mmCIF file of all heavy atoms in Angstrom:
data_model
loop_
_atom_site.group_PDB
_atom_site.id
_atom_site.type_symbol
_atom_site.label_atom_id
_atom_site.label_comp_id
_atom_site.label_asym_id
_atom_site.label_seq_id
_atom_site.Cartn_x
_atom_site.Cartn_y
_atom_site.Cartn_z
ATOM 1 N N THR A 913 10.792 -8.643 15.945
ATOM 2 C CA THR A 913 10.247 -9.529 14.917
ATOM 3 C C THR A 913 8.795 -9.176 14.613
ATOM 4 O O THR A 913 8.133 -8.480 15.408
ATOM 5 C CB THR A 913 10.305 -10.999 15.364
ATOM 6 O OG1 THR A 913 9.390 -11.183 16.441
ATOM 7 C CG2 THR A 913 11.712 -11.406 15.777
ATOM 8 N N ASP A 915 6.305 -11.193 14.740
ATOM 9 C CA ASP A 915 5.490 -11.797 15.801
ATOM 10 C C ASP A 915 5.448 -10.913 17.045
ATOM 11 O O ASP A 915 4.388 -10.763 17.673
ATOM 12 C CB ASP A 915 6.007 -13.187 16.161
ATOM 13 C CG ASP A 915 5.717 -14.211 15.078
ATOM 14 O OD1 ASP A 915 4.775 -13.997 14.281
ATOM 15 O OD2 ASP A 915 6.433 -15.230 15.033
ATOM 16 N N GLN A 919 2.133 -9.045 18.584
ATOM 17 C CA GLN A 919 1.721 -9.190 19.985
ATOM 18 C C GLN A 919 1.510 -7.823 20.627
ATOM 19 O O GLN A 919 0.547 -7.629 21.371
ATOM 20 C CB GLN A 919 2.760 -9.995 20.776
ATOM 21 C CG GLN A 919 2.334 -10.294 22.195
ATOM 22 C CD GLN A 919 1.047 -11.076 22.279
ATOM 23 O OE1 GLN A 919 0.858 -12.050 21.574
ATOM 24 N NE2 GLN A 919 0.133 -10.638 23.128
ATOM 25 N N TYR A 930 -5.053 3.008 21.243
ATOM 26 C CA TYR A 930 -5.100 3.840 20.044
ATOM 27 C C TYR A 930 -6.135 4.951 20.155
ATOM 28 O O TYR A 930 -6.163 5.856 19.337
ATOM 29 C CB TYR A 930 -5.416 2.964 18.817
ATOM 30 C CG TYR A 930 -6.635 2.090 19.034
ATOM 31 C CD1 TYR A 930 -7.908 2.575 18.782
ATOM 32 C CD2 TYR A 930 -6.495 0.813 19.538
ATOM 33 C CE1 TYR A 930 -9.017 1.783 19.028
ATOM 34 C CE2 TYR A 930 -7.593 0.021 19.765
ATOM 35 C CZ TYR A 930 -8.862 0.508 19.517
ATOM 36 O OH TYR A 930 -9.960 -0.275 19.764
ATOM 37 N N TYR A 938 -15.462 3.755 14.287
ATOM 38 C CA TYR A 938 -14.451 3.128 13.440
ATOM 39 C C TYR A 938 -13.060 3.671 13.747
ATOM 40 O O TYR A 938 -12.900 4.849 14.055
ATOM 41 C CB TYR A 938 -14.738 3.389 11.954
ATOM 42 C CG TYR A 938 -16.022 2.783 11.473
ATOM 43 C CD1 TYR A 938 -17.148 3.566 11.284
ATOM 44 C CD2 TYR A 938 -16.116 1.425 11.207
ATOM 45 C CE1 TYR A 938 -18.340 3.011 10.828
ATOM 46 C CE2 TYR A 938 -17.293 0.863 10.762
ATOM 47 C CZ TYR A 938 -18.406 1.657 10.580
ATOM 48 O OH TYR A 938 -19.575 1.103 10.149
ATOM 49 N N ASN A 946 8.441 -2.706 8.837
ATOM 50 C CA ASN A 946 9.773 -2.246 8.441
ATOM 51 C C ASN A 946 9.588 -1.266 7.283
ATOM 52 O O ASN A 946 8.459 -0.887 6.975
ATOM 53 C CB ASN A 946 10.723 -3.406 8.100
ATOM 54 C CG ASN A 946 10.240 -4.237 6.928
ATOM 55 O OD1 ASN A 946 9.797 -3.715 5.915
ATOM 56 N ND2 ASN A 946 10.333 -5.558 7.060
ATOM 57 N N HIS A 949 7.244 -2.948 4.576
ATOM 58 C CA HIS A 949 6.161 -3.850 4.979
ATOM 59 C C HIS A 949 5.265 -3.116 5.967
ATOM 60 O O HIS A 949 5.695 -2.756 7.059
ATOM 61 C CB HIS A 949 6.734 -5.114 5.601
ATOM 62 C CG HIS A 949 5.694 -6.130 5.960
ATOM 63 N ND1 HIS A 949 5.976 -7.198 6.749
ATOM 64 C CD2 HIS A 949 4.381 -6.246 5.640
ATOM 65 C CE1 HIS A 949 4.886 -7.928 6.900
ATOM 66 N NE2 HIS A 949 3.902 -7.356 6.237
ATOM 67 N N LEU A 954 -8.841 -2.315 10.131
ATOM 68 C CA LEU A 954 -10.077 -1.562 10.307
ATOM 69 C C LEU A 954 -10.810 -2.141 11.503
ATOM 70 O O LEU A 954 -11.052 -3.349 11.566
ATOM 71 C CB LEU A 954 -10.961 -1.665 9.054
ATOM 72 C CG LEU A 954 -12.363 -1.051 9.183
ATOM 73 C CD1 LEU A 954 -12.281 0.448 9.422
ATOM 74 C CD2 LEU A 954 -13.179 -1.370 7.947
ATOM 75 N N ASP A 956 -14.223 -1.862 14.033
ATOM 76 C CA ASP A 956 -15.604 -1.397 14.189
ATOM 77 C C ASP A 956 -15.999 -1.730 15.621
ATOM 78 O O ASP A 956 -16.017 -2.897 16.006
ATOM 79 C CB ASP A 956 -16.514 -2.111 13.186
ATOM 80 C CG ASP A 956 -17.962 -1.657 13.264
ATOM 81 O OD1 ASP A 956 -18.286 -0.777 14.099
ATOM 82 O OD2 ASP A 956 -18.776 -2.172 12.483
ATOM 83 N N LEU A 976 -5.568 1.583 -0.040
ATOM 84 C CA LEU A 976 -6.386 0.422 0.275
ATOM 85 C C LEU A 976 -7.649 0.816 1.039
ATOM 86 O O LEU A 976 -8.707 0.251 0.825
ATOM 87 C CB LEU A 976 -5.568 -0.568 1.116
ATOM 88 C CG LEU A 976 -6.301 -1.817 1.588
ATOM 89 C CD1 LEU A 976 -6.549 -2.741 0.389
ATOM 90 C CD2 LEU A 976 -5.501 -2.525 2.646
#
Side-chain angles (χ1 to χ4, degrees):
T913 68
D915 288 337
Q919 186 59 46
Y930 51 86
Y938 296 103
N946 62 44
H949 184 193
L954 173 63
D956 182 0
L976 177 71

